[in-house]
Amino acid sequence: MQNYPKDNDSEQYNRFLNNSILQKAVHNKKIAVIGLGYVGLSLAAFLGNKANVIGVDANKKKINSLLSGVPPFYEPKLEYYLKRAIRNGLTFTDQINKEIVSSDFVFITVGTPIDNDGKIDLTNMRDVSANISEHMINLKNRPSIIIKSTVVPGTTMRVIKPILEKNKLRESVDFDLLTNPEFLREGSAMQDTISPHVIVVGGSNNESIRKLTNFYRIIYKKKQDIVETNNVTAEVIKYANNAFLATKISFINSIANICQKLPGTNVDKVAQIIGMDPRIGNQFLKAGPGYGGSCFPKDVQALISFANEIGYEPILFDAVKNTNSLQVNAILNLVKHHLRDLKNKKISVLGLSFKENTDDIRESISVKLVNLLLRHKCDVIVHDPKAIDNTYQVFREKIKYSKSASDVLAGSDCAIIMTPWEKYKDLKEKDFLKMRNPLVIDSRRILKLSNRKILYIGLGIGN
Ligand code: UDX
């Protein structure tokens, strides 16, 4: 088993593990987590370290892998907590049954993708809810069904509640129904689960809300901000949170594109100073190729569709989305400007995951860029510390793959840094001098290259 370095989170967590009163209070609780993606699996691995937890996912292959302690995706610290929780009794199954539904807390963490029309697809949500309802008939206890998945406003009470109430069951009598959105980030999913910045619990009555908030107060010994509200407000909070962060990114990317045309300016300097205004804040002002991943693109789109449906035209969110889709052109235009004809040019793309510390390439702008380069008939070679396998599934033999961040540069006409992996910061000038034409486009401005033989272009640095 890997050695887990001591940090603040693990210290806080160890304090919890070593406190026997807290352990007992939590240990008596039966918990089910349905849907084992980043949110569900991190939660199961965290709670499973002392409580009585079962994880459920319809994907049998995933369940088999988890039963042997192997996470189905790369996420820092997850394997450590998972293995520890399994030793403590955490188990997994691919079937929902009466035993699972009779848990004190049944967390639903299934995926809520968008369909071809850009609207939220609640199929997983509906199926799981119907399945839970079937198994809730004649239960002796009153489970709390907790919606952690991101769902558009109104879903919990207008869509999920009627499904759960089939079979003559009543919310707040036979079961409680809570909305408890999650704010964790991939790449720090465990850390964010162990130490969330806020906990939002929405419900229809105080008694049902308190059951969950009391549990959270025991688990999170540190005084965590816990907000109690109604279901629909909890749903709006989640979308507002993600849409605001996406807006910040599109905003700073727009400023980067302006700086690009202004010699002597650097978007990072601008971001640093405006971030000193507490009304703005210094986070999420890192300009780059645009946001990707499984949340922002999908959630901004779902919010736009939802707003249109209820009769509001969300022009701001449309602009955030469009700015993001066009940002890849800022990179492509730099390549075109410096290489002119792209045909048969060897382009090295460094970083494929949508952000560092994950192997996830969903909605990654790197994938979009590689597709554009292929359309321009470039010879593309890529590197990523974790995401090569996933990328191979998309491009197969259409591109080349390099195992080393330095080798990917050999003989290249242009290197493009897309994901700010730590290891790219260690690349030396001599690595770039292996290129046929040392042109480096750094979309995240992580490199410091001063050798005159290298043409370094930082996105958002005026030149
Ligand atoms: C996001 C939210 O942060 C999280 O609260 C929510 O629960 C799920 O969605 P995640 O998608 O895992 O988390 O990653 P995040 O760190 O937010 O980054 C999203 C994208 O924005 C990445 O492509 C990242 O590179 C980009 N980004 C982020 C920027 O371009 N600049 C920034 O300053 C921050």
Side-chain angles (χ1 to χ4, degrees), residues 31 105 154 188 208 242 342 344-345 367 371 399 409 451 457:
I31 293 166
F105 298 120
S188 53
S208 69
N242 275 358
L342 298 196
N344 297 332
K345 291 282 173 16
V367 172
N371 271 318
I399 58 174
L409 299 169
N451 190 308
I457 312 284

Side-chain angles (χ1 to χ4, degrees), residues 75 266 382 458:
E75 180 63 38
N266 183 329
V382 298

Side-chain angles (χ1 to χ4, degrees), residues 325-340:
S325 342
L326 292 174
Q327 185 62 5
V328 67
N329 293 335
I331 300 167
L332 188 68
N333 289 341
L334 287 171
V335 183
K336 280 183 181 165
H337 178 78
H338 290 280
L339 292 184
R340 307 224 172 259

Side-chain angles (χ1 to χ4, degrees), residues 182-186 238 242 249 284-286 291-292 295-296 354-355 444:
E182 179 55 58
F183 302 98
L184 67 77
R185 298 158 296 174
E186 288 183 29
K238 171 69 190 194
N242 275 358
I249 299 170
F284 272 68
L285 287 178
K286 206 84 194 117
Y291 57 76
C295 289
F296 288 168
F354 79 98
K355 62 186 273 192
R444 309 274 189 162

Side-chain angles (χ1 to χ4, degrees), residues 296-407:
F296 288 168
K298 151 181 104 70
D299 292 349
V300 172
Q301 176 56 57
L303 184 59
I304 290 170
S305 301
F306 176 75
N308 280 316
E309 252 175 39
I310 59 168
Y312 171 67
E313 199 190 332
I315 49 174
L316 174 65
F317 305 140
D318 275 330
V320 168
K321 177 185 125 178
N322 294 338
T323 304
N324 196 59
S325 342
L326 292 174
Q327 185 62 5
V328 67
N329 293 335
I331 300 167
L332 188 68
N333 289 341
L334 287 171
V335 183
K336 280 183 181 165
H337 178 78
H338 290 280
L339 292 184
R340 307 224 172 259
D341 185 11
L342 298 196
K343 198 171 170 199
N344 297 332
K345 291 282 173 16
K346 183 172 173 182
I347 314 282
S348 314
V349 176
L350 287 86
L352 301 157
S353 55
F354 79 98
K355 62 186 273 192
E356 67 279 29
N357 298 328
T358 176
D359 62 359
D360 195 348
I361 59 164
R362 284 176 290 173
E363 299 293 324
S364 169
I365 309 298
S366 303
V367 172
K368 218 165 147 183
L369 178 73
V370 170
N371 271 318
L372 286 172
L373 293 170
L374 288 176
R375 225 175 284 160
H376 283 81
K377 309 243 177 305
C378 295
D379 185 6
V380 181
I381 178 158
V382 298
H383 174 270
D384 190 282
K386 296 283 178 198
I388 289 292
D389 288 351
N390 286 339
T391 307
Y392 184 79
Q393 298 308 315
V394 177
F395 294 106
R396 304 262 163 195
E397 305 300 325
K398 286 189 201 151
I399 58 174
K400 295 192 184 70
Y401 305 86
S402 171
K403 285 207 168 72
S404 133
S406 151
D407 290 351

